[in-house]
Every structure is written in C-alpha cells, then in structure tokens.
Amino acid sequence: DQQVKQNSPSLSVQEGRISILNCDYTNSMFDYFLWYKKYPAEGPTFLISISSIKDKNEDGRFTVFLNKSAKHLSLHIVPSQPGDSAVYFCAAFSGNTPLVFGKGTRLSVIA
Amino acid sequence: DVKVTQSSRYLVKRTGEKVFLECVQDMDHENMFWYRQDPGLGLRLIYFSYDVKMKEKGDIPEGYSVSREKKERFSLILESASTNQTSMYLCASKNNHPGQGKGEQYFGPGTRLTVT
C-alpha cells in the first residue's frame, strides 16, 4: 500500500508561470517531508523540506506547503524556468526510518 | 562537499552472472541505502544499513544481498542476475546527527544496469 502518493505522473507549464506539484500521504506518523528533483541519468538532488510543526517553508523560487489535517503537501515553483524540467519526488519519514518516496511527477516547462 | 560515488555509471551483464554494485560516501554518514528506480514505479528501497555490519531489508529485497564491512562503503550484490533486474540503481547516505540536515539523503549518480 502506497504511503506517499503523487497522483499526477506529468505536468506541463509555460515558462514564467507557477508550477504546483502535489503529494498526499497516509501515514500520520510522518513528521518530516522532503522534495527531490531528478534529471535523467543522474541521482536525485534534495530541493526543500518541511517539518510537521510548520505549514510553509520557502527557499527562493520554491515553496512547500503542508496541510496536516488533509495529509497533503504541495511544491510551488514561481516563476517556472525551462531548467526546472525534471522528475520531482515527494518523500516522507519519521524518526530514523528510511525515506518513503512517491512515484514522481515529470514537470515540463515550455519556453 | 558532500559526495556519494558509485563504481559504474553503466553496466551490462548476462543472465545468471553475479553482479557487484559498489557505493562509497565520504561524509562519515551512519546510514546508507540502495534503491532502484523504474519508470512509473518511483524509487523503491532494496536494502539499507544503519551501521557497519548491519543490514535491513527494504521493500523489494528478493534477489539481492548487501555488504557493509566499512562505514563508508555499501555494496549491493545480485546473486544471479535476471532480466527483471534491469534498472537504474541508486545509492544514498544520511547522517543521524540531530540538527544537521535532518532526513536529507544524499544520492550517488546511479548505475544503469542492463541484464541480457
């Protein structure tokens, strides 16, 4: 049973507009959430994270929002750039357990 | 700078061969992980290790084993490679120290393994 779900396999956005990537989770024990970005033939790189005690974390063009009651988080990228085209993975964990990853969303930013 | 290296970027092996994938990290991290990535399936955890000589099964350990004789090195072994093990293999490491990038796993560049 998937504990972390990314229901949109792909997303296309115009350059300069906002990209919103969504993630849902089922395990209420998760207390830390992360987003990773992956280019083809490379390993994932860490993008941004949020603790369950917060509802928002911002880093430059990237903002992650957490809605604990809905067990939902989202990643906003504003403005989107062609270099943002990649696969984005949502991940979650609690304590010292391994990260649990979603299946990823492929973002295409069109110039 | 954080560094996780994997022994090969691309590997082609025959069915039935024993395959070794090596991973080395230079960050003195306690935890190390092996994942495979397949289209539409995301990242699936094969095995992980919290310390030297320790290993834990992940979600898909069948057909794999691991070895961690030194803190910096974590090896994934395919005892008898099969075509359904053709995949991208990703190694990662993470520290356990509170306050230092809590939860953040650092990934290697991946090994694209093809079993024919």
Side-chain angles (χ1 to χ4, degrees):
Chain A
D1 188 31
Q2 264 193 286
Q3 297 185 70
V4 176
K5 300 179 186 178
Q6 293 177 256
N7 292 319
S8 299
S10 62
L11 175 68
S12 287
V13 172
Q14 286 287 129
E15 181 179 4
R17 308 293 283 265
I18 185 171
S19 295
I20 301 176
L21 295 94
N22 293 303
C23 179
D24 296 295
Y25 62 96
T26 57
N27 188 340
S28 56
M29 297 299 292
F30 287 147
D31 60 4
Y32 212 77
F33 305 89
L34 305 92
W35 285 94
Y36 279 80
K37 175 179 178 178
K38 186 181 184 300
Y39 293 118
E42 293 183 15
T45 54
F46 169 74
L47 198 54
I48 192 169
S49 63
I50 188 166
S51 162
S52 60
I53 63 173
K54 295 187 174 182
D55 55 18
K56 177 182 174 181
N57 188 27
E58 201 169 346
D59 183 2
R61 295 186 298 114
F62 303 92
T63 303
V64 56
F65 295 92
L66 175 63
N67 182 334
K68 281 202 313 183
S69 61
K71 293 193 177 70
H72 177 83
L73 63 154
S74 60
L75 174 68
H76 293 210
I77 307 173
V78 183
S80 301
Q81 299 173 354
D84 296 329
S85 297
V87 177
Y88 289 79
F89 291 98
C90 171
F93 79 106
S94 63
N96 195 29
T97 59
L99 291 179
V100 179
F101 285 88
K103 292 186 177 180
T105 296
R106 180 177 301 280
L107 173 66
S108 300
V109 180
I110 304 158
Chain B
D1 199 14
V2 165
K3 200 89 183 250
V4 179
T5 56
Q6 295 182 227
S7 50
S8 305
R9 294 299 303 273
Y10 300 93
L11 210 51
V12 180
K13 295 291 182 180
R14 292 192 179 276
T15 302
E17 277 194 83
K18 191 168 186 175
V19 182
F20 292 87
L21 302 182
E22 305 285 341
C23 175
V24 177
Q25 51 96 2
D26 65 359
M27 297 161 284
D28 201 36
H29 285 172
E30 292 80 10
N31 297 356
M32 296 188 75
F33 310 84
W34 275 106
Y35 295 85
R36 62 179 282 178
Q37 184 201 1
D38 300 286
L41 297 178
L43 295 168
R44 294 183 292 168
L45 182 64
I46 305 171
Y47 266 96
F48 61 103
S49 168
Y50 286 134
D51 205 344
V52 177
K53 305 276 190 188
M54 295 178 66
K55 60 183 179 184
E56 301 281 346
K57 291 181 180 179
D59 299 318
I60 50 163
E62 297 78 19
Y64 303 94
S65 63
V66 290
S67 171
R68 190 150 181 219
E69 297 296 319
K70 294 185 177 181
K71 190 176 185 180
E72 67 271 18
R73 188 179 297 268
F74 192 34
S75 303
L76 180 70
I77 303 151
L78 286 67
E79 297 291 343
S80 177
S82 63
T83 54
N84 63 13
Q85 292 179 310
T86 291
S87 187
M88 166 72 92
Y89 289 88
L90 293 158
C91 175
S93 72
K94 182 178 85 116
N95 73 55
N96 279 340
H97 305 298
Q100 292 181 21
K102 176 180 165 66
E104 185 179 334
Q105 287 182 191
Y106 296 89
F107 283 85
T111 297
R112 169 68 65 186
L113 172 67
T114 303
V115 182
T116 61

